[in-house]
Amino acid sequence: MALIAWVLLLFPGVLSALATFGAHGDGNLTVRCHSDQAASLLQLKKSFSFFRYPNPLESWQDGTDCCLWEGVGCSKSSGHVTALELCGCGLYSEGLDPAIFELTSLQLLDLSMNNFGSQSIPTNGFERLSLLTNLNFSNSGFSGQIPTVIGRLASLISLDLSCLYDITPDDSAYGDDTSIGDVTNRLRLEQPNFQILLANLSNLRELYLDIVDMSSIKGAIGNLSNLESLDINYCGFSGPIPDEVGLLKKLTVLRIGHCSLSGRIPNSIVNLTHLIDLDLSSNHLNGILHFQDK
């Protein structure tokens, strides 16, 4: 016993190591979350009202390890918060609290299926989340112009800003087969924001923008050569599909249904040799595509 006491006196670092040993129940040395990041998460919690019982963020308590909180993921080596997954937690807030941008180690941010009160996505702050690879704000009640600052997230692999839609077989819920003009409080993406947003997202593999109002955009696809999945249904496009779509050689999924597209389907689409899911339905397109057998 005396020997142990001498060891602890001579090597006080041993005590702190023992304190964190097995903190996550996996038998490995782990690091507790940082107090400043815990404070940012608690500020974020304070900004929410809750429409579910029990409170889904009940585990978010001051003085406890935030790496063990519901929906929070941390780096085991540094203790920094790297993931925040709060999909469908019944959260309500009048906009996104700036405290989120203090979590500068975030790699995954999922706030989908909550309600942010038809407020705009913040135009400042995202530039601090430079490590972010996955951003999901789908069905979260945001509206207004999609800010170009999201285009500064050069590490993004997946971006989902889509909106939930429930279409009847004859699409009578929206008045006709090509328009959802009666849907209010939609996100919007206009030129030049579209080009600015996509210019630096060359690592993007998945882009989901269903029901985002993009009716003013013509042509340019952007520098999306690594894109594998593109969902832009009900986005209000008009005119022809640009030939440049054939440059997206890695596409496996392409869905541009229920818009106002017209003219011939570009032959360049047959260059998409990895394509397994193509939806151009409910447009005013014509032509025949001849894909080579794989």
Side-chain angles (χ1 to χ4, degrees):
M1 194 70 180
L3 178 61
I4 293 175
W6 275 106
V7 169
L8 292 178
L9 286 172
L10 292 173
F11 304 102
V14 173
L15 185 61
S16 62
L18 289 172
T20 58
F21 181 80
H24 291 222
D26 57 7
N28 297 318
L29 284 175
T30 55
V31 181
R32 290 172 60 91
C33 83
H34 296 256
S35 58
D36 58 331
Q37 297 201 326
S40 297
L41 287 168
L42 289 172
Q43 174 56 41
L44 187 64
K45 176 185 177 181
K46 189 186 300 184
S47 72
F48 292 129
S49 300
F50 301 95
F51 291 97
R52 274 180 46 187
Y53 182 82
N55 181 341
L57 304 187
E58 187 62 36
S59 62
W60 291 31
Q61 298 295 330
D62 193 13
T64 62
D65 185 356
C66 74
C67 293
L68 300 178
W69 293 354
E70 181 71 26
V72 178
C74 294
S75 165
K76 290 185 177 181
S77 59
S78 69
H80 290 118
V81 175
T82 58
L84 189 59
E85 300 181 78
L86 301 178
C87 172
C89 285
L91 309 177
Y92 177 83
S93 178
E94 289 288 334
L96 184 59
D97 195 286
I100 194 79
F101 301 121
E102 300 298 325
L103 305 174
T104 55
S105 297
L106 275 179
Q107 298 173 29
L108 187 155
L109 177 57
D110 185 352
L111 299 178
S112 60
M113 303 296 292
N114 292 295
N115 189 341
F116 286 89
S118 298
Q119 300 298 307
S120 299
I121 297 174
T123 56
N124 295 298
F126 282 100
E127 68 278 2
R128 303 187 63 192
L129 306 182
S130 60
L131 301 179
L132 207 61
T133 60
N134 294 71
L135 177 60
N136 190 344
F137 283 172
S138 63
N139 310 307
S140 291
F142 286 110
S143 65
Q145 178 68 30
I146 295 173
T148 57
V149 67
I150 291 178
R152 297 175 64 177
L153 301 175
S155 298
L156 269 188
I157 293 173
S158 179
L159 175 61
D160 191 345
L161 301 177
S162 62
C163 180
L164 187 66
Y165 54 89
D166 183 13
I167 308 300
T168 59
D170 63 356
D171 295 322
S172 58
Y174 294 117
D176 59 52
D177 63 347
T178 60
S179 173
I180 55 165
D182 293 336
V183 178
T184 57
N185 297 324
R186 297 166 62 188
L187 281 171
R188 192 172 67 253
L189 189 55
E190 302 172 347
Q191 292 177 323
N193 288 44
F194 180 67
Q195 286 81 4
I196 296 172
L197 179 70
L198 300 183
N200 296 319
L201 300 183
S202 58
N203 292 312
L204 204 63
R205 296 178 194 167
E206 302 173 350
L207 180 59
Y208 306 102
L209 297 174
D210 294 323
I211 297 194
V212 172
D213 183 357
M214 301 166 67
S215 56
S216 67
I217 294 172
K218 310 290 182 185
I221 297 292
N223 182 24
L224 299 175
S225 58
N226 287 311
L227 202 63
E228 298 174 5
S229 185
L230 177 60
D231 278 41
I232 43 178
N233 295 298
Y234 294 97
C235 287
F237 292 115
S238 60
I241 299 174
D243 285 332
E244 289 80 5
V245 72
L247 299 177
L248 306 179
K249 298 290 183 64
K250 296 184 179 180
L251 273 185
T252 60
V253 176
L254 175 60
R255 301 183 181 125
I256 324 178
H258 300 268
C259 295
S260 297
L261 294 168
S262 59
R264 291 189 64 83
I265 301 173
N267 288 328
S268 61
I269 287 183
V270 302
N271 296 328
L272 306 178
T273 56
H274 298 288
L275 204 60
I276 58 176
D277 187 345
L278 174 63
D279 182 3
L280 304 176
S281 62
S282 297
N283 286 293
H284 305 291
L285 299 165
N286 59 75
I288 300 174
L289 294 174
H290 298 281
F291 288 93
Q292 297 292 326
D293 292 334
K294 295 182 180 179

